[in-house]
Amino acid sequence: MNASILRSSFERRTVLIGTVQGGIGILLAARMGYLAIAENEKYRLESESNRVNLTLIPPRRGWILDRNGAPLASNRADFRVDIIPERLKDPEGTIARIGALLALEPSRIADIKDKVAGARGFQPVEVASGLNYDQFAALSVRLPDLQGVVPQRGFSRFYPTASSVGHLIGYVGPASAEEYEKDPNPLLITPGYKIGKDGLEKQFEKELRGVPGARRVEVTASGRIVRDLETREDIQGEPVRLTIDGPLQDYAARRIGLESGSVVVMDCRTGDLLCMASMPSFDPNSFSDGIGSVEYAMLRDDERVPLRNKVLKGLYPPGSTVKPMVSMALMEQGIDPKETVYCGGGLRVGNRVFGCWNRRGHGAVDMAKGIYQSCDVYFYAMAQRVGMDPIAAMARRCGMGQEFPLPVTSQFYGTVPDPEWKMKKWGREWQTFDTVNATIGQGYMLSSPLQLAVMASRLATGRHVMPRLTLDTKPKGFDNIDFPSEQVEYVRQAMSDVVNGPGTAGRARLPIDGVQLAGKTGTAQVVSLSISNGKSGPWKYRDHGLFIFFAPYDNPRYAGAVVIEHGGGSGAAYPIARDVMTFLFDPAKGMEALTALEKQWGGTAQQRLDARYAAYAAERGAAVSRPPRRDEEIFDRVEAEARVAAAQSQAIADDVIAPRPEANPSGTPPVSAPVEPPAATETQAPVVPEAAPAPAPVTDGGTAQ
C-alpha cells in the first residue's frame, strides 16, 4: 500500500459519495419544487384550513301554517349545547361537568351518556336547548377545558299548541346514522341541525329544510376563535300551508278530554280537512328536545297508546254508522224505502237468532225509521235480499277501505269484506251471517276515522268528495255525482231525525238557532259477550263509541266523525261532535262548554300531560328502561299494536253480534233498559225474543231461510 493507491481510493469514494449526495439533493430539490409548484394549491388550502375554520349554519326550518296563516310549527331563538363524541377526551368527566353547570337531572345525564355511547363519532348529541344566557356564558368561557362541547346560538322548533298537533305535525330530531348513510350531507351532522322524524315534518322535509349558511373564523392552533372573517346567512325553508283550522284542531283535541279517540272534520265543499285530532297525544316539543327515558316510558306504558295516530292508523268496526250507506245500496238495488219490516227484537237467520239493540222491538220499520232508530232487524232482513256485493261496492264508493292521496307517511285503509275477499284471505265461503254482521258494521268490517268522515261528507252531498290537507292541492271529485239527489235527500232527512227527531242522539242537538246537526250513532262490539258486556270491566274490553255527522243538515257545509275507543257506546262520541260543531259555528258557546269541562278534568290536555309526567317521574325517578335509540323502533311498535287491536275486533267476526243500546233515544217510542242476555257460547246463541213474521229474507244464493 502506497500513497498513490490511497489517494486513488479516496478519490473514488469521494466521487461516489458526492454522486449519492448530489442525487439526494436533486431529489429533494425536485420534491420541493413539486410541493411548491404542483401541490401549491393543496397545501395552501390546508394551511388556510388550519388558520380558518369553515362551519355550516343550520338553516331555519320553514313554518307549518294553518289555513289562516297561524303557525302550527314555528322557530324560536334559543341557546343550546351539543356534544361531538369523537372530540371528547374524557366523555364521563365532560358530561358530568356539563350536568353540574346546567343543573341537569340525573336521569337526563344518564340519557346523554347512553346516547354518546351509542352514537357514531361524528354524530352530534344534544345535551340541552332553551338555555338562558347565564348558562350559555358559563359553558362558553370553559370551552378550552371542554373539548367536544359545542354551545351555540340558533333556532329550535316550537309547536305552540303542543300535544294538540303531536300526531298531525310530528316532530324533528338529529339525523340518525342510518339517515346519514342514506344522505351523506354534511348538514345532517352539523351540531344543532334537525330533520323531520314523523308526521308532516317528515313528509315535507325537502320543502322545510332551507339552505344552510356558512361562517369563516380565524382560529389559533388550539382552536380558539381569534376573529370572524365572513358570514353567509342561511335561507329559511319554504312554509307549508295546511287546510287545518288551528283553533278547531286545538279545541277538538282538548274536547276529547279524558277519553282515547279522534275527531275529524271536513269542509264538504272543498274536501279541506279542518281538523285531525288524535288523543291522547305526546308533546312534540319534548321529542324535538330529545325525549328522556322517563317520559318515553310513560308514553310507552300507557294502554291508550298516545304514540298512535288514531285518525290514520286506528281501525275500528264502524258499527251502526254504516246504516245510511247501506240504505243507499238498498235503494240502488230497487228496495222501496217505504217498505216495512216488522222488528220484534230479533231475527232468525239459519240456526241463529240475531237480536236488535232494542230487545222489545221497534214494530213496523221502514228505511227512515231503520236509520233514526237504528233498527238492526230492518237491515238484517233487507241486506239478505240484495246480498253483500252491492253493499261492499257502495261502501267503497263512500270511501271505506280506500287509501286517500294525502301527504302523510302512512295510513291504514281497513277492510270492506265481500265473498271474494273472504275466500282469498280465509279460504272459506261467505255465509249469510257474514252479511248480517257486516250490514250493522261488525264482523270483518273495519274503517278508520278519516274514512268515516269521508263517508259522512259523501252521504251529505252526494258527490265524490276527496279529502285534501294542503291548500296548494287542487280539490278533486266534485265533478262526480255518486248518488241520485232524491236518495241523498231521503238519507239526509233520516240522519237529521237521528238528532232532531225521534232518533238515538237527541242530546247532540246544537244550541244554535237555525243550524241543525245531522248524524248517525254507532256502537261497535270489541269482544264477545262471554268476556264483557261492553259497558263495564277492563277498559280495553268496552265497546267503541262512534258518530258521523254533518251540518247544516239542509245545506251541508261541514262533515266529520268522532270515534272514542272503548267509550262504552255512542253516548261517549256524539256530545263531542256537538261541542266541536258548536265551536265551529259559535266559538264563544263552544269555549264556554269546554272551560267548564276542563275544570272538572284538571286543566287543558297539555296541563294534564305535564302533571302526569311530573307525577310519573316523581314516582319512578330514573329507574326506568332506556328509550329506543332509533325513532323507527317507537313507531314500528305502535303500528304493530294498531294491527293487533284491529285483529282483536275481527276475532269475533264469526260470532253472533249482540247490538248494544244506541245511547238514550230522545223521542218516541220510549224504550226501557234492556235485559242483558246470557253470554254466548260456541254452541248457543244469545237468547232474544223471537221475531214476529216478517218478509222472508233471501240469502246470496237465493235460498229462503
Side-chain angles (χ1 to χ4, degrees):
M1 181 69 65
N2 55 36
S4 176
I5 295 173
L6 289 174
R7 186 182 306 111
S8 176
S9 176
F10 176 78
E11 289 176 352
R12 288 196 301 271
R13 291 176 183 176
T14 301
V15 171
L16 179 61
I17 293 172
T19 302
V20 172
Q21 289 177 336
I24 293 174
I26 293 172
L27 289 175
L28 290 174
R31 177 61 178 169
M32 290 177 64
Y34 175 77
L35 293 176
I37 299 172
E39 295 282 273
N40 176 274
E41 185 67 18
K42 173 184 175 182
Y43 288 101
R44 189 181 66 81
L45 290 176
E46 289 188 2
S47 174
E48 182 71 7
S49 67
N50 288 332
R51 184 183 70 88
V52 177
N53 277 353
L54 177 64
T55 58
L56 292 176
I57 299 175
R60 292 158 293 166
R61 288 182 72 80
W63 287 20
I64 299 178
L65 308 172
D66 79 346
R67 64 186 302 105
N68 299 312
L72 298 176
S74 60
N75 306 312
R76 62 179 178 184
D78 74 345
F79 296 105
R80 54 176 292 109
V81 60
D82 297 291
I83 285 177
I84 308 299
E86 68 179 358
R87 300 180 187 173
L88 294 176
K89 294 183 178 179
D90 178 16
E92 292 284 335
T94 301
I95 295 172
R97 191 169 180 185
I98 295 174
L101 286 171
L102 301 182
L104 299 178
E105 297 178 356
S107 60
R108 179 58 182 165
I109 294 175
D111 288 338
I112 295 170
K113 291 180 179 179
D114 289 340
K115 290 178 180 178
V116 169
R120 298 287 181 91
F122 55 78
Q123 184 180 0
V125 173
E126 180 177 305
V127 174
S129 62
L131 303 178
N132 58 45
Y133 182 77
D134 291 338
Q135 292 173 313
F136 179 78
L139 279 171
S140 298
V141 299
R142 292 172 172 82
L143 284 184
D145 301 324
L146 296 173
Q147 296 295 321
V149 178
V150 185
Q152 58 185 332
R153 285 172 287 189
F155 292 88
S156 63
R157 204 58 161 163
F158 177 62
Y159 306 92
T161 53
S163 58
S164 296
V165 297
H167 292 117
L168 173 65
I169 303 299
Y171 68 97
V172 298
S176 66
E178 293 89 344
E179 289 164 332
Y180 179 71
E181 288 173 357
K182 292 179 181 178
D183 180 17
N185 187 334
L187 179 61
L188 268 60
I189 57 174
T190 301
Y193 181 70
K194 296 180 178 180
I195 63 174
K197 292 286 189 172
D198 189 48
L200 297 179
E201 289 278 23
K202 181 177 182 179
Q203 193 69 20
F204 288 102
E205 172 64 25
K206 183 177 179 180
E207 293 83 355
L208 295 169
R209 178 173 292 189
V211 179
R215 181 189 183 201
R216 295 177 68 244
V217 295
E218 186 175 354
V219 297
T220 65
S222 62
R224 186 185 298 274
I225 296 176
V226 176
R227 61 192 174 104
D228 284 327
L229 297 178
E230 182 183 2
T231 300
R232 185 188 70 195
E233 295 297 330
D234 66 294
I235 300 176
Q236 186 171 358
E238 295 293 326
V240 174
R241 175 165 286 187
L242 307 179
T243 61
I244 296 294
D245 184 315
L248 181 65
Q249 173 80 16
D250 183 56
Y251 183 93
R254 292 165 58 184
R255 180 57 186 85
I256 293 173
L258 306 180
E259 301 285 359
S260 173
S262 55
V263 177
V264 182
V265 179
M266 293 178 60
D267 188 324
C268 293
R269 300 177 183 178
T270 61
D272 289 358
L273 287 163
L274 303 179
C275 163
M276 297 175 69
S278 172
M279 297 296 283
S281 183
F282 57 88
D283 184 353
N285 293 303
S286 294
F287 271 83
S288 298
D289 293 340
I291 189 168
S293 59
V294 177
E295 186 172 2
Y296 171 73
M298 179 188 73
L299 297 173
R300 179 204 59 206
D301 295 339
D302 192 338
E303 67 176 347
R304 304 194 178 200
V305 198
L307 294 174
R308 183 194 303 160
N309 185 344
K310 297 173 177 62
V311 171
L312 299 174
K313 298 178 182 177
L315 293 177
Y316 314 92
S320 294
T321 60
V322 302
K323 289 176 179 175
M325 176 274 294
V326 174
S327 297
M328 299 295 282
L330 296 178
M331 286 188 285
E332 188 174 73
Q333 293 299 306
I335 299 294
D336 184 353
K338 295 181 180 179
E339 182 180 349
T340 63
V341 170
Y342 183 81
C343 172
L347 184 70
R348 181 173 293 279
V349 178
N351 62 351
R352 303 183 180 188
V353 176
F354 287 78
C356 182
W357 70 263
N358 181 359
R359 300 298 192 263
R360 293 187 172 186
H362 291 98
V365 181
D366 61 7
M367 186 177 292
K369 187 176 180 180
I371 294 174
Y372 67 71
Q373 280 288 319
S374 200
C375 177
D376 300 297
V377 168
Y378 175 85
F379 290 97
Y380 293 157
M382 291 301 185
Q384 291 179 79
R385 289 170 56 178
V386 303
M388 189 62 202
D389 283 329
I391 295 174
M394 179 61 68
R396 297 185 183 100
R397 285 171 59 187
C398 286
M400 297 183 67
Q402 305 301 300
E403 189 172 7
F404 304 111
L406 296 174
V408 295
T409 53
S410 64
Q411 55 182 302
F412 292 174
Y413 46 88
T415 302
V416 176
D418 58 23
E420 181 181 356
W421 172 88
K422 186 177 180 182
M423 178 57 68
K424 182 178 180 180
K425 184 172 180 64
W426 301 106
R428 298 200 300 265
E429 295 287 342
W430 187 266
Q431 302 296 327
T432 304
F433 68 81
D434 289 321
T435 302
V436 171
N437 277 339
T439 197
I440 60 169
Q442 292 272 186
Y444 297 108
M445 189 171 287
L446 292 171
S447 61
S448 70
L450 176 60
Q451 292 169 343
L452 294 176
V454 172
M455 178 173 70
S457 66
R458 293 183 181 180
L459 290 172
T461 63
R463 295 184 177 273
H464 195 77
V465 181
M466 288 291 289
R468 68 170 186 160
L469 191 51
T470 56
L471 289 175
D472 59 0
T473 303
K474 184 179 179 181
K476 300 177 182 178
F478 293 89
D479 52 343
N480 297 332
I481 299 177
D482 279 342
F483 316 116
S485 58
E486 63 275 9
Q487 296 179 9
V488 173
E489 289 293 336
Y490 186 89
V491 170
R492 187 188 295 171
Q493 179 62 54
M495 293 179 69
S496 174
D497 288 340
V498 171
V499 178
N500 308 297
T504 57
R507 290 188 294 127
R509 294 172 186 169
L510 297 181
I512 301 173
D513 293 337
V515 180
Q516 290 187 329
L517 179 73
K520 182 68 191 79
T521 55
T523 298
Q525 184 176 336
V526 179
V527 296
S528 65
L529 282 171
S530 61
I531 297 177
S532 172
N533 63 6
K535 295 289 185 182
S536 59
W539 176 80
K540 64 180 180 180
Y541 294 152
R542 299 176 190 173
D543 297 337
H544 297 315
L546 307 95
F547 187 68
I548 62 171
F549 57 90
F550 58 85
Y553 103 89
D554 52 347
N555 184 24
R557 174 64 188 276
Y558 306 110
V562 176
V563 177
I564 300 300
E565 293 181 329
H566 310 293
S570 60
Y574 62 73
I576 296 175
R578 174 199 63 207
D579 290 347
V580 168
M581 295 305 288
T582 298
F583 176 80
L584 196 54
F585 287 103
D586 190 337
K589 283 187 177 180
M591 283 304 303
E592 182 180 357
L594 178 60
T595 301
L597 290 170
E598 287 185 332
K599 287 181 179 179
Q600 302 174 24
W601 295 335
T604 66
Q606 187 60 35
Q607 290 170 343
R608 296 195 306 274
L609 180 61
D610 293 340
R612 181 163 171 256
Y613 171 63
Y616 189 95
E619 180 182 349
R620 291 163 176 80
V624 293
S625 58
R626 298 174 181 176
R629 294 196 177 108
R630 296 175 60 252
D631 298 274
E632 290 80 359
E633 293 178 13
I634 299 175
F635 296 101
D636 287 350
R637 173 188 173 92
V638 171
E639 290 194 11
E641 289 175 343
R643 295 189 185 278
V644 170
Q648 179 189 31
S649 298
Q650 287 191 340
I652 61 170
D654 292 335
D655 295 342
V656 175
I657 305 299
R660 314 297 199 201
E662 290 290 347
N664 297 313
S666 59
T668 56
V671 181
S672 59
V675 177
E676 286 294 339
T681 65
E682 294 182 359
T683 58
Q684 182 178 358
V687 179
V688 296
E690 188 70 41
V698 179
T699 66
D700 297 341
T703 306
Q705 300 294 306

